[in-house]
């Protein structure tokens, strides 16, 4: 059972917009930054969003993060086949004194 | 820029030491983090060691406290993960990572530099 809650799967067709939710609590998302990672099997995870809504250089504008209260979401617009991957949210937890991850959401591009 | 090594097959109750050698980053200023991905499960933060300048403080996730030890050797640009009393649930790919913000202005836990991981299998 992960500290942060994500849907196990989301799907969309090419060109669509999809969102992935991430629910936490006051000790993590509610008081700390949210991060989003993309992971393809056999590769290293990739940071997509940091500090709730900031994109590292090289990450397409199609990926955007937002946060409200104890929840966050990642939006992917103009869905492409190469976006099919596992997406994880993460945040520092003041009670556990550790970074906590969501269980991961598998994005399928139909 | 980060290369892990040391993974392998070990019996329950055994020990293993993973290494992660860094290049191209100011290693002595970097906060180094271990993350694992178990089969069929999600990413899990294993622990973090701060830079020497920040006290080399180490923190661990609860399931590994008392069994795993993170250390660093700045002269070798290497961080270690000593894993003792291994359990089958420790089976995972172990990644080494670091947030580049740890050597820049304005720290946050966005881990943007990663190794490709090393596989640990705990089985009898």
């Amino acid at each position: 059972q992960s500290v942060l809650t994500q849907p196990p799967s989301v799907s969309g067709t090419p060109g669509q917009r999809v969102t992935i939710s991430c629910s936490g609590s006051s000790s993590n998302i509610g008081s700390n930054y949210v991060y989003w990672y993309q992971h393809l099997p056999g590769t290293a995870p990739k940071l997509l969003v940091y500090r709730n809504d900031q994109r590292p250089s090289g990450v397409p504008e199609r990926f955007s993060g937002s946060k409200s209260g104890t929840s966050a979401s990642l939006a992917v617009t103009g869905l492409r086949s190469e976006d099919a991957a596992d997406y994880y949210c993460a945040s520092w937890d003041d009670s556990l004194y550790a970074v906590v991850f969501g269980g991961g959401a598998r994005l399928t591009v139909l | 820029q980060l290369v892990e090594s040391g993974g392998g097959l070990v019996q329950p109750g055994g020990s293993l030491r993973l290494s992660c050698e860094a290049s191209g980053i100011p290693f002595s200023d970097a906060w180094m983090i271990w993350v694992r991905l178990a089969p069929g499960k999600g990413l899990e933060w294993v622990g973090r060691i701060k830079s020497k300048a920040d006290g080399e403080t180490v923190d661990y996730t609860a399931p590994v406290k008392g069994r795993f030890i993170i250390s660093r050797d700045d002269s070798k640009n290497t961080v270690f993960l000593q894993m003792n009393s291994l359990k089958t649930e420790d089976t995972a790919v172990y990644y080494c990572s670091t947030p580049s913000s740890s050597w820049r202005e304005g720290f946050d836990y966005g881990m943007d530099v990663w190794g490709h991981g090393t596989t640990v299998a705990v089985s009898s």
Side-chain angles (χ1 to χ4, degrees), chain B residues 3-104:
Chain B
V3 179
E4 302 94 337
S5 61
L9 175 64
V10 62
Q11 292 187 337
S15 298
L16 209 57
R17 188 173 89 151
L18 306 183
S19 301
C20 169
E21 184 174 0
S23 60
I25 67 170
F27 182 80
S28 61
D29 295 325
W31 291 22
M32 300 304 296
I33 295 167
W34 288 96
V35 175
R36 67 184 179 182
L37 180 64
K41 298 197 174 182
L43 293 173
E44 181 179 28
W45 192 81
V46 174
R48 176 265 295 125
I49 184 167
K50 296 183 179 179
S51 63
K52 185 174 184 178
D54 290 320
E56 281 194 23
T57 308
V58 186
D59 289 292
Y60 304 93
T61 188
V64 310
K65 279 181 184 175
R67 299 188 299 123
F68 289 12
I69 300 170
I70 299 175
S71 61
R72 64 190 298 156
D73 184 339
D74 289 351
S75 69
K76 297 180 179 178
N77 286 354
T78 300
V79 62
F80 304 98
L81 178 64
Q82 176 67 42
M83 303 185 294
N84 302 319
S85 302
L86 281 161
K87 305 176 180 180
T88 54
E89 52 263 42
D90 295 318
T91 294
V93 176
Y94 285 75
Y95 297 97
C96 170
S97 68
T98 181
S100 63
S101 63
S102 61
W103 61 83
R104 296 175 181 156

Side-chain angles (χ1 to χ4, degrees), chain A residues 28-95:
Chain A
N28 41 66
I29 293 178
S31 52
N32 294 289
Y33 291 130
V34 177
Y35 310 91
W36 289 91
Y37 296 89
Q38 179 190 60
H39 187 233
L40 292 160
T43 70
K46 176 184 178 182
L47 180 67
L48 287 180
V49 172
Y50 67 103
R51 295 195 179 194
N52 304 329
D53 57 11
Q54 302 299 300
R55 277 185 308 275
S57 60
V59 174
E61 292 183 7
R62 303 186 298 105
F63 294 92
S64 62
S66 64
K67 169 184 153 176
S68 178
T70 59
S71 295
S73 64
L74 175 72
V76 185
T77 58
L79 203 58
R80 298 184 177 184
S81 58
E82 59 260 37
D83 297 333
D86 295 325
Y87 292 83
Y88 294 89
C89 58
S91 182
W92 177 260
D93 191 292
D94 292 329
S95 297

